[in-house]
Amino acid sequence: MREISVNDIKKEVAKLCVDANLQLSPEMEQCIAAAKENERGELAKSVLGQLQENMEIAREDGIPICQDTGMAVFFVELGQEVHIVDGDLTEAINEGVRYGYTEGYLRKSVVGDPLIRENTKDNTPAIIHYDIVPGDNLKITITPKGFGSENMSKLVMLKPADGVEGVKQVVIDAAKSAGPNACPPFVLGVGIGGDFELVAKLAKKALTREPGSHNPLPHIAELETELLETINSLGIGPAGLGGDTTALAVNIETYATHIAGLPVAVNMCCHVDRHSTVIL
């Protein structure tokens, strides 16, 4: 049994909060650069160039890529041979968020009650998804989620008879209705299967995949490619001003489901698809 102290977890989580908000992954930056290279519209190319300039300024000056530094969402894989010591794991993650968002001068966007709307002033509580896995490591992935794009997300309980064409229509309609409100070019995380709550988690987790990666199932990878091409043909373009680049990626995750159902969720994310991982 391997022991990991909550004190180490707090430090790493605080660092994750800051790192994820100040710099995109190299893969995301390369994806935007490739989109600019392939973009035919001059206005769209200019907007993509401004996004690149914004990322460079954020990196050089140590400031957030976007003013909405998001609600902290975590995917935690806890090895079954790990023993957390010196405190509580969930509280350690929240304490790391408190420190990271406060000391990192990141915007605090969380309200403690959804109706009373009083800001918690430290961006907690975080949303934490746990998975117990084999091994003696603790893997923590953060994906700070801004709500301009989050608010444009969709969840639909299709009938099995709707099939793949029904799934396609849900995803395409989500992109159309999001339009400029999701700050395109966006990344679409898509969940298919499971049940009502799991399909939304699948869609969120899909956003932690890097652009250019594909689902290991050939028919799902093919669907990802087809949907990306279709969405980019809509003409919404960067910032909704028209162009070839409406989406940077369509990432799909699937799970088994009931014979009577076909749940589909689309979690919209702007071009600032932030995620960062640490393994302890």
Side-chain angles (χ1 to χ4, degrees), residues 48-92:
L48 291 168
Q50 291 173 33
L51 299 183
Q52 288 180 305
E53 183 181 359
N54 178 68
M55 288 187 292
E56 187 62 29
I57 292 171
R59 179 168 41 248
E60 291 181 355
D61 294 352
I63 56 177
I65 306 166
C66 177
Q67 52 81 27
D68 185 352
T69 51
M71 192 170 190
V73 180
F74 291 89
F75 289 93
V76 179
E77 294 182 10
L78 176 62
Q80 60 190 13
E81 296 174 33
V82 171
H83 181 211
I84 304 298
V85 297
D86 303 322
D88 178 83
L89 175 57
T90 297
E91 180 52 35

Side-chain angles (χ1 to χ4, degrees), residues 57-275:
I57 292 171
R59 179 168 41 248
E60 291 181 355
D61 294 352
I63 56 177
I65 306 166
C66 177
Q67 52 81 27
D68 185 352
T69 51
M71 192 170 190
V73 180
F74 291 89
F75 289 93
V76 179
E77 294 182 10
L78 176 62
Q80 60 190 13
E81 296 174 33
V82 171
H83 181 211
I84 304 298
V85 297
D86 303 322
D88 178 83
L89 175 57
T90 297
E91 180 52 35
I93 293 173
N94 277 306
E95 187 59 33
V97 172
R98 289 187 190 99
Y99 189 85
Y101 272 78
T102 301
E103 297 302 314
Y105 300 100
L106 304 175
R107 196 183 87 181
K108 292 83 175 172
S109 302
V110 174
V111 294
D113 184 286
L115 298 180
I116 296 174
R117 313 296 293 180
E118 182 177 351
N119 198 299
T120 63
K121 297 182 173 60
D122 58 14
N123 224 53
T124 66
I127 295 173
I128 310 171
H129 302 287
Y130 289 106
D131 283 308
I132 306 298
V133 300
D136 61 357
N137 289 327
L138 174 63
K139 181 179 179 181
I140 304 174
T141 297
I142 184 175
T143 175
K145 195 63 173 67
F147 265 57
S149 56
E150 186 79 355
N151 286 340
M152 305 309 298
S153 300
K154 305 289 183 185
L155 192 158
V156 181
M157 303 299 288
L158 294 178
K159 301 183 295 295
D162 292 322
V164 68
E165 293 304 319
V167 172
K168 291 177 188 177
Q169 199 59 55
V170 169
V171 178
I172 294 166
D173 286 348
K176 286 180 178 178
S177 62
N181 296 314
C183 298
F186 33 66
V187 177
L188 294 87
V190 180
I192 307 173
D195 62 358
F196 181 82
E197 81 275 6
L198 180 60
V199 75
K201 178 182 175 182
L202 292 172
K204 179 77 71 182
K205 190 170 185 179
L207 292 176
T208 65
R209 276 176 39 201
E210 296 299 349
S213 65
H214 282 289
N215 190 290
L217 298 172
H219 67 292
I220 300 299
E222 183 179 342
L223 183 58
E224 290 173 334
T225 300
E226 179 184 344
L227 284 169
L228 180 60
E229 291 175 354
T230 301
I231 291 168
N232 280 332
S233 71
L234 296 175
I236 297 170
L241 298 175
D244 303 316
T245 317
T246 296
L248 297 169
V250 176
N251 295 341
I252 302 175
E253 295 295 322
T254 65
Y255 196 81
T257 192
H258 191 278
I259 57 172
L262 180 56
V264 182
V266 183
N267 196 195
M268 303 296 300
C269 186
C270 66
H271 70 279
V272 185
D273 184 8
R274 298 164 289 195
H275 44 272

